[in-house]
Amino acid sequence: MARYDRAITVFSPDGHLFQVEYALEAVRKGNAAVGVRGTDIVVLGVEKKSAVKLQDSRSVRKIVSLDDHIALACAGLKADARVLINRARIECQSHRLTVEDPVTVEYITRYIAGLQQKYTQSGGVRPFGLSTLIVGFDPYTSVPSLYQTDPSGTFSAWKANATGRNSNSMREFLEKNYKETSGHETIKLAIRALLEVSFCFSYVITAIVT
Amino acid sequence: MKLDTSGLESAAPVWGAPSELVDGFSAGPSFDLPNTTDFDGFQKEAIQMVKPAKGTTTLAFIFKEGVMVAADSRASMGGYISSQSVKKIIEINPYMLGTMAGGAADCQFWHRNLGIKCRLHELANKRRISVTGASKLLANILYSYRGMGLSVGTMIAGWDETGPGLYYVDSEGGRLKGMRFSVGSGSPYAYGVLDNGYRYDMSVEEAAELARRAIYHATFRDGASGGVASVYYVGPNGWKKLSGDDVGELHYKYYPVMPSTVEQEMVEVGGA
């Protein structure tokens, strides 16, 4: 197996792309992030480690906005995240320029996932080591959406999802307790999911409501 | 010079070197500049050589019920009428129309190319492209060919989520949003009739008659316009061709031949 994980563009005999799977490992070591979709609200939450006392925590942005109506949280290599987010922000503005319309959540998710996939099929590069949770409201229709992408470049829409450290436990919790909620109920659900896996912590929640 | 043949490609492009990966924007069409000392002069000469007079009359306007689009059907090469039956209203897709003024080949090709792009947008995004977006796609393409002799003066009319839309796009790269436009050598005459008779709250029949009359009057005075006056209506369910009347017949419909009074007197005198 060791011979098939050096170059990204090489399949192993049993159909794995090992570099992509190792990237997923990097994601599993990242900070926990959760996203929940309600009827009129979408909530993103990330775990924030409180151990670093000297760090100016305001400079660490874990939930970022891609445009006025779309936000993103990710788990994994934060340096890769910066590059991906910059490209996504440029694409949001480029879309506004060419069709005079803001992007839909699905469009920008497809773009980010396409970017992540490109890096799994090129020579001399490694995949982005992060999974993203993208939330927002579509322009005109104002339908709330939550999408997740991963290092392989796949994406799908979710009612609620978690990624990063202990994402399995969070997802189990969400599966057991999810129901259609709105407003504060949705925020509470997201917080409770984070509480499942983070003990001594301080959390950051960004809620976007139209 | 490399053309934008993205509309003609059938296979997916092969991934290039890693330098492609660091582009922020997708690369637009590119072209090589010719080796001249005076590029501006060269450009002006090229435009003058290729510039056909936009011998036509097309018009479009937005009113309460939607968009009305009308055009004549004459193609002229100098003083020679090469065709009386040219389709100057191009059906981009079932809910968007484009008008043709300027070079016929340029208009036809780029409208079909726009149709391809609109369909691809629909398939990728699971919703129709807006008239704003479609007109911007065309305007950006025409701008990238600016100075290379394209001659296109078109109006993009359609109905999208935000209601009726009308944009004027030309080969200089200009793009204007508006309620009333007329393009071509007969446009001053058409504007006269159109601006005089326009009201926002007209019925579909009244608007169609206004459009028909405006084209007729333009063909009456402008030698480069004639043939058949086609009128199309774009509503919430897409476009529909309302009429295509020969302008010669329209003339006698609007101004029927009346026997003159002098002849009648002579007859009476003869009978007495």
Side-chain angles (χ1 to χ4, degrees):
Chain A
M1 281 305 131
R3 277 179 308 177
Y4 297 102
D5 62 1
R6 289 289 144 181
I8 180 64
T9 50
V10 175
F11 274 111
S12 70
D14 53 351
H16 292 271
L17 280 173
F18 277 111
Q19 282 298 309
V20 174
E21 296 191 7
Y22 298 159
L24 281 160
E25 271 303 309
V27 168
R28 259 173 242 132
K29 291 190 167 37
N31 284 340
V34 70
V36 183
R37 184 187 82 195
T39 51
D40 61 349
I41 182 177
V42 276
V43 183
L44 277 178
V46 292
E47 155 196 53
K48 195 168 98 161
K49 288 209 296 280
S50 62
V52 281
K53 291 195 167 60
L54 289 174
Q55 188 181 69
D56 187 350
S57 53
R58 283 169 307 164
S59 69
V60 182
R61 310 292 280 126
K62 305 224 171 159
I63 301 180
V64 295
S65 65
L66 297 181
D67 202 344
D68 293 331
H69 59 300
I70 302 197
L72 173 148
C74 53
L77 298 171
K78 291 293 185 255
D80 289 0
R82 222 176 35 241
V83 171
L84 204 56
I85 287 164
N86 282 336
R87 303 277 287 277
R89 282 173 172 165
I90 291 174
E91 179 60 23
C92 284
Q93 295 310 310
S94 180
H95 186 273
R96 274 182 188 260
L97 191 57
T98 48
V99 294
E100 288 189 12
D101 252 347
V103 292
T104 58
V105 189
E106 199 252 345
Y107 178 91
I108 197 63
T109 308
R110 202 159 9 102
Y111 175 80
I112 291 175
L115 212 49
Q116 286 179 297
Q117 191 279 340
K118 227 192 272 199
Y119 281 72
T120 67
Q121 210 178 6
S122 308
V125 294
R126 63 161 177 82
F128 288 100
L130 58 137
S131 293
T132 67
L133 287 171
I134 300 165
V135 300
F137 292 84
D138 282 347
Y140 302 121
T141 54
S142 293
V143 169
S145 315
L146 164 66
Y147 284 86
Q148 189 211 31
T149 71
D150 65 26
S152 63
T154 54
F155 73 95
S156 49
W158 293 78
K159 296 183 201 156
N161 200 0
T163 178
R165 206 197 322 265
N166 303 122
S167 56
N168 287 329
S169 337
M170 283 196 281
R171 209 172 298 122
E172 265 174 41
F173 174 85
L174 286 168
E175 273 174 31
K176 266 202 290 267
N177 296 291
Y178 179 82
K179 48 185 200 305
E180 286 280 318
T181 52
S182 66
H184 290 288
E185 287 302 314
T186 322
I187 303 178
K188 270 193 261 183
L189 183 60
I191 295 179
R192 275 162 53 213
L194 269 176
L195 278 166
E196 282 286 304
V197 299
S198 297
F199 305 112
C200 47
F201 69 106
S202 59
Y203 50 83
V204 171
I205 298 247
T206 298
I208 312 166
V209 188
T210 49
Chain B
M1 276 199 287
K2 278 180 275 181
L3 286 179
D4 168 30
T5 50
S6 58
L8 305 171
E9 276 165 18
S10 51
V14 178
W15 289 123
S19 61
E20 221 188 57
L21 300 170
V22 303
D23 284 340
F25 294 97
S26 53
S30 61
F31 53 93
D32 306 314
L33 292 179
N35 297 324
T36 50
T37 41
D38 174 25
F39 184 63
D40 285 332
F42 172 77
Q43 259 194 337
K44 288 200 179 86
E45 270 179 49
I47 292 170
Q48 285 310 113
M49 183 181 75
V50 197
K51 191 178 203 161
K54 294 188 181 139
T56 190
T57 311
T58 59
L59 62 86
F61 58 89
I62 293 180
F63 66 112
K64 189 182 64 171
E65 306 280 346
V67 196
M68 203 53 83
V69 185
D72 75 314
S73 69
R74 176 174 291 183
S76 46
M77 282 158 42
Y80 173 68
I81 297 175
S82 43
S83 170
Q84 289 273 63
S85 52
V86 176
K87 267 190 74 166
K88 295 195 187 178
I89 296 182
I90 297 159
E91 298 144 12
I92 297 170
N93 60 42
Y95 56 98
M96 241 193 283
L97 294 173
T99 59
M100 179 200 294
D106 290 339
C107 289
Q108 272 180 3
F109 179 85
W110 288 112
H111 278 122
R112 290 200 63 189
N113 185 280
L114 179 64
I116 293 172
K117 289 207 161 71
C118 290
R119 180 69 183 136
L120 288 173
H121 179 102
E122 255 181 54
L123 287 169
N125 295 288
K126 285 180 252 179
R127 54 184 256 217
R128 284 179 177 171
I129 193 171
S130 59
V131 184
T132 314
S135 62
K136 195 128 197 196
L137 284 179
L138 183 64
N140 287 340
I141 292 168
L142 292 178
Y143 182 78
S144 66
Y145 285 92
R146 198 175 131 86
M148 289 196 246
L150 282 185
S151 173
V152 172
T154 183
M155 294 177 284
I156 305 290
W159 189 291
D160 60 29
E161 283 171 348
T162 58
L166 178 61
Y167 285 83
Y168 165 74
V169 178
D170 70 21
S171 46
E172 310 302 302
R175 175 173 165 267
L176 297 171
K177 183 174 156 86
M179 296 286 274
R180 299 202 289 277
F181 287 113
S182 176
V183 183
S185 55
S187 63
Y189 312 111
Y191 268 130
V193 174
L194 180 59
D195 290 339
N196 185 43
Y198 176 82
R199 279 180 355 260
Y200 180 72
D201 43 359
M202 286 186 283
S203 67
V204 176
E205 292 80 28
E206 287 175 321
E209 186 52 30
L210 177 65
R212 203 173 297 123
R213 256 190 192 267
I215 294 286
Y216 157 73
H217 279 281
T219 60
F220 187 68
R221 287 292 176 183
D222 176 35
S225 305
V228 167
S230 316
V231 180
Y232 281 68
Y233 164 67
V234 188
N237 299 322
W239 59 259
K240 187 165 177 297
K241 178 162 185 177
L242 293 182
S243 66
D245 302 292
D246 184 285
V247 294
E249 282 166 27
L250 279 180
H251 172 81
Y252 290 108
K253 191 173 105 175
Y254 294 141
Y255 305 105
V257 177
M258 302 283 241
S260 72
T261 46
V262 171
E263 284 173 34
Q264 282 176 344
E265 275 177 20
M266 282 172 72
V267 166
E268 278 180 37
V269 161

